[in-house]
Amino acid sequence: MMKTFRKIKPLKKAIQELERSSELPPNVQDGVLHTSLTENEQALKQIFENCSDIVFRTIIINEQAKMLLVYVDGLVEMKTLDQVLIKPMMFEGMPNGLKDAGSVGKIVQDRLIAFSKVDAYSTIHEVIQGILKANLAVLVEGESQALLADIKGFEKRSIEEPSAELVVRGPRDGFTETLRVNTNLVRRRIRSPRLKMESASIGDLSQTDVVIAYIEGIVQDPVLEEVRQRVLRIQIDGVLESAFIEEFIEDMPFSPFPQIQNTERPDVVCASLLEGKVAIFVDNTPFVLIAPMTFWTGVLAAEDYYERALYTTFIRWIRFVLINISLFLPSLYVAITTYHPQLIPTSLLISVAAAREGIPFPAVVEALMMEFLFEGLREAGVRLPKPIGSAVSIVGALVIGQAAVEAGIISAPMVIIVATTGIASFSFPRYNLGTAYRMLRFPMLFLAGMLGLYGVACGALAIIIHLTNIRSFGIPYLSPIAPQIPRGLKDVLIRSPRWNMTHRPKLIVGEEKERIPEGQQPGPRKGGLNE
Amino acid sequence: MSRNKTLFMIMVIALFFLSGCWDRKELNDLAIELGWGLDKEKNNQIRITAQFIIPSNVGTSQTGGGGGKGKSFFIETGTGKDTLEAVQKMQTKLSREVFRGHRRVILLGEKLAKQGLAPILDTYSRDPEIRLRADALIVKGHTAKQFLEASYPLESIPALGALKEHMQIGGMGDTSLLNFLKAATSEGINPTLPVINLTGSSKGFEVTGIGIFNKNLQLIGFLNPSEQKMFLWIIDRLNQHILTANMPQGTGNAGLFLTKLNRKIKPSIQGRTIKCDIVLSGEGVIRENNTKLDLTQAKNLTLLEHVFEKATENQASQTLKRVQTQYGTDIFGIGEAIHQKYPSQWKGLKKNWDKQFREVQMSVHASLVIRRVGLTGPSMQLNNSDIKK
């Protein structure tokens, strides 16, 4: 892995170099700014040819100094620009005139531009990048440097409750499409200088900001290094969603199981960071990646930690049962009714046989048809506009549930089986792990239809073997069950009370293994309050 | 390498399609058989009778509504030299494959049982499709075919009714075939099978005791229901038992509902005589008290316990005596108990055990405990003066 990495990097640099030089028009020498404003303006205008959203604004101050403002219309905050920069400059001019100052640019930077973040750059490339990243570029006559002021001011969505991860109890803010807002949501929860956020730009054309966040000391250094390397070596034209990053950095691209968790919830990100995981923020998407992921984090919901421990343990077990139902129920039904009818209690067998009387299809075909229809219904419901979506589900339920049974095409037990499976498959707290299970149901059905229970057992075995083989950034996917870490079971098989979870996950965490000191179990003081 | 891998994958996938499905059977291609009867035919042949369910008639009343459904079962027969041939003959009359995996009841005609069951039993332990957990019953006075043709109002499948009746009387239903085969193959115990009888109006049936077999698996006699209870208790296969006993002075009777039934067989060999002490124990609740006793008094309870114990001892020793003198076959497993306690002596005894069994000196001892007496001490309808404290 390291080898390919080393090979790629120089190549990448060379390509970028080549692209940069070809971006620049021939009359701009070496990509460096001139002292002449006219030449600089021409060069920029040539580069931004046919870009109608780039604004060039020339201002003359005190009839002496000429300035050029360049920005992307709509990405900078117009109000601030007008009130703080253009208006005072045009009407009031320089406070003390220009004569005593050494350089116009210096004065402009020090005294005129009242923005918090201003930097000077001297290459055209940097200026272009700055403008495209929603900065205001100020070029002054006679200066070979341009000032870039950060007055980002584009439209953004407000913070809303994430629609995919709802809670009854717990914070209701979710990530938005703006990277800075997202990192702020996390920073507000972890106010420690040890929360680090390394940023990078991925995508040759999109130049998308990516932030790798972790907590120093808690994160495991090899894991962090691995994440860093995998993210930085990505070569892509544009990053539109964090999935683009995910597909480049996951361990087993062809596994049905997701190896990187994604979430819209800042509290989930913070909890993961506190366990020693690494979060990857990507601009323009509310979905933040969390690595490494284990299978069990896929079946635990955020709310598990906000509800009381006993109830959560109960719900967790219901979830485990439902998860197995969602994978095995249709195939078990098919296998048992067509290969091993001996296994069903006699009275149940009679009922099932009575229901199957006159059904034209074999059980396996029936099951495949119904599962196919169910998936189709789900897909149609997700994609359609909201008002039509509910109509589809009503029609679907009527057609499949009622009419098909009454017409004698589908047996009633099969409808029950498919409906139960459908409900069970929606009990996954993490959508992407649920998709894996929904997908695997079909090969399991084939196996059941062809080999009976033997096939189901083979399929289950294959899935288990595969699961134990997966590593997410070096962490075994099934830990802490396999390899077994007794202390870790406190947060998998049961949900231990907070004061009892004294240690962070053993395989994931770096140096600081202890989370909280022991002996914090609450309870009345011995001897009562009077003592 | 990758070409080999692809080839391997293709071969694995082909394996599924080439070998799969060979024993796949849809439920609506099976004739599900629940009851099974065997009768003696002429020319040393046997006749089999099977009771199949008609699935479209047993389903829920979802589509029917009117209730005018036909019978939920039908009968088909076949004859042949052995079971397999008979089944083959029967299959020619059926559109669906006979599915025997859910057979619950095997009925044996009395005539066939008297002739001996040894020639027909092999298939029940050999054929993997047949399960051993079935109830085998002897039909007394009728043929199995007549029995299977009878209808029974409570159960839609009459064969299941026979099974459930057997379970109701406190025996462990569903396993009598297995127990029969076990007893037939072991030394020191002779097999038995429960007996079922059509009631006069042929609108039902009742379990009427057990049939006793000798070592050649020939039916040699019957025990009546109360003897059957004692027999089940002695072989430790009784779950619950209701014991009713008369008070010695003729002052009413009382009923005890017994659970936690237990027994101990303690054989002892002294010289040439074999003695056998059988201890029957149980715990129970008084469910009926037609005496004038106030049951809150400890001495009355002791009195009642004593009465019940006496009654049990009497019934049990009568049963033992009758089996010993009339049939002379050891259905209680006394021989097994001796085998366990005196392995070396048993070697000499076992050759002639049936004869020796008649000579065993049996003694029965019962120890019953009354745990609870119900909600009241004395009967509520009695006057205070009548109650015997």
Side-chain angles (χ1 to χ4, degrees), chain B residues 40-328:
Chain B
K40 196 183 154 194
E41 266 295 289
K42 283 166 236 153
N43 308 331
N44 221 7
Q45 289 200 319
I46 56 165
R47 180 180 66 205
I48 57 162
T49 315
Q51 197 174 63
F52 297 101
I53 59 164
I54 307 174
S56 50
N57 285 353
V58 281
T60 48
S61 55
Q62 173 194 347
T63 43
K69 282 185 194 170
K71 272 196 201 167
S72 52
F73 66 96
F74 73 104
I75 302 292
E76 205 54 79
T77 60
T79 49
K81 282 193 282 295
D82 60 0
T83 314
L84 210 59
E85 198 185 73
V87 170
Q88 235 171 2
K89 289 253 174 70
M90 186 172 71
Q91 184 70 68
T92 58
K93 304 179 200 167
L94 288 166
S95 60
R96 298 180 180 185
E97 191 184 318
V98 178
F99 174 68
R100 296 169 293 176
H102 269 277
R103 175 183 298 162
R104 304 298 296 271
V105 177
I106 298 169
L107 295 155
L108 303 159
E110 192 182 342
K111 277 184 193 160
L112 182 74
K114 280 193 168 141
Q115 187 197 320
L117 296 178
I120 57 148
L121 278 177
D122 178 73
T123 180
Y124 297 96
S125 50
R126 189 179 300 281
D127 194 333
E129 278 188 23
I130 303 174
R131 55 177 186 185
L132 276 170
R133 280 183 66 95
D135 234 12
L137 300 159
I138 297 165
V139 183
K140 193 178 176 186
H142 291 86
T143 62
K145 182 165 181 281
Q146 282 168 323
F147 183 88
L148 285 170
E149 277 163 354
S151 63
Y152 178 66
L154 214 50
E155 303 286 337
S156 57
I157 312 293
L160 292 183
L163 169 75
K164 287 180 179 173
E165 267 187 19
H166 183 216
M167 286 163 87
Q168 279 304 318
I169 59 164
M172 300 176 185
D174 219 7
T175 51
S176 69
L177 174 68
L178 187 64
N179 293 332
F180 182 85
L181 290 172
K182 268 192 211 159
T185 49
S186 43
E187 294 165 340
I189 185 163
N190 280 350
T192 55
L193 280 180
V195 175
I196 201 159
N197 216 347
L198 281 172
T199 49
S201 58
S202 86
K203 261 291 175 194
F205 30 74
E206 52 183 347
V207 176
T208 57
I210 57 161
I212 298 173
F213 287 80
N214 62 14
K215 266 292 165 203
N216 299 327
L217 303 186
Q218 286 163 323
L219 178 69
I220 53 173
F222 299 99
L223 291 183
N224 64 31
S226 65
E227 289 169 332
Q228 178 192 18
K229 286 274 189 183
M230 284 302 138
F231 160 72
L232 288 173
W233 196 346
I234 293 170
I235 63 166
D236 205 11
R237 220 166 267 156
L238 194 63
N239 283 331
Q240 59 188 50
H241 182 38
I242 294 172
L243 195 63
T244 306
N246 288 319
M247 293 300 288
Q249 297 91 347
T251 51
N253 55 25
L256 181 67
F257 179 77
L258 282 166
T259 51
K260 292 191 183 172
L261 296 161
N262 249 317
R263 67 93 168 90
K264 265 194 189 121
I265 299 177
K266 295 176 184 164
S268 58
I269 300 178
Q270 285 158 354
R272 306 212 72 188
T273 57
I274 304 170
K275 279 186 183 168
C276 190
D277 200 15
I278 293 170
V279 181
L280 301 174
S281 59
E283 288 178 15
V285 188
I286 298 285
R287 282 280 170 84
E288 190 168 350
N289 176 23
N290 297 323
T291 65
K292 289 180 177 164
L293 294 175
D294 177 4
L295 295 184
T296 49
Q297 304 294 317
K299 64 171 180 8
N300 288 343
L301 278 186
T302 326
L303 182 72
L304 261 185
E305 273 176 9
H306 192 68
V307 170
F308 282 124
E309 280 168 1
K310 263 267 142 20
T312 309
E313 281 164 13
N314 272 339
Q315 278 185 31
S317 27
Q318 269 172 24
T319 310
L320 285 165
K321 186 146 226 149
R322 186 163 163 225
V323 173
Q324 265 184 310
T325 53
Q326 198 172 334
Y327 305 119

Side-chain angles (χ1 to χ4, degrees), chain A residues 319-486:
Chain A
R319 220 180 274 150
F320 289 149
V321 172
L322 285 175
I323 282 167
N324 283 315
I325 284 178
S326 81
L327 182 60
F328 291 116
L329 187 66
S331 39
L332 278 182
Y333 175 79
V334 167
I336 289 176
T337 53
T338 52
Y339 286 92
H340 322 279
Q342 296 93 326
L343 287 179
I344 322 176
T346 308
S347 43
L348 181 62
L349 177 84
I350 293 173
S351 312
V352 174
R356 271 203 60 77
E357 199 60 28
I359 303 296
F361 305 109
V364 65
V365 174
E366 211 186 345
L368 281 171
M369 268 167 48
M370 290 297 286
E371 288 292 349
F372 178 81
L373 267 178
F374 175 79
E375 286 299 314
L377 208 69
R378 194 196 56 79
E379 183 65 16
V382 170
R383 300 285 160 252
L384 274 177
K386 261 178 197 163
I388 311 174
S390 60
V392 163
S393 57
I394 292 168
V395 169
L398 272 178
V399 168
I400 295 171
Q402 195 89 34
V405 172
E406 266 177 27
I409 294 168
I410 301 292
S411 64
M414 186 55 81
V415 176
I416 298 170
I417 296 282
V418 171
T420 313
T421 314
I423 291 167
S425 72
F426 291 129
S427 69
F428 283 89
R430 305 260 170 254
Y431 184 74
N432 56 355
L433 191 64
T435 54
Y437 267 68
R438 287 215 308 276
M439 195 162 65
L440 287 172
R441 198 187 297 152
F442 287 88
M444 291 297 285
L445 255 179
F446 272 110
L447 282 173
M450 279 184 282
L451 298 172
L453 276 186
Y454 172 69
V456 177
C458 285
L461 210 61
I463 290 173
I464 291 171
I465 291 171
H466 175 66
L467 278 173
T468 44
N469 266 328
I470 301 179
R471 296 272 185 286
S472 172
F473 292 88
I475 309 299
Y477 199 52
L478 282 182
S479 68
I481 298 281
Q484 201 176 63
I485 296 149

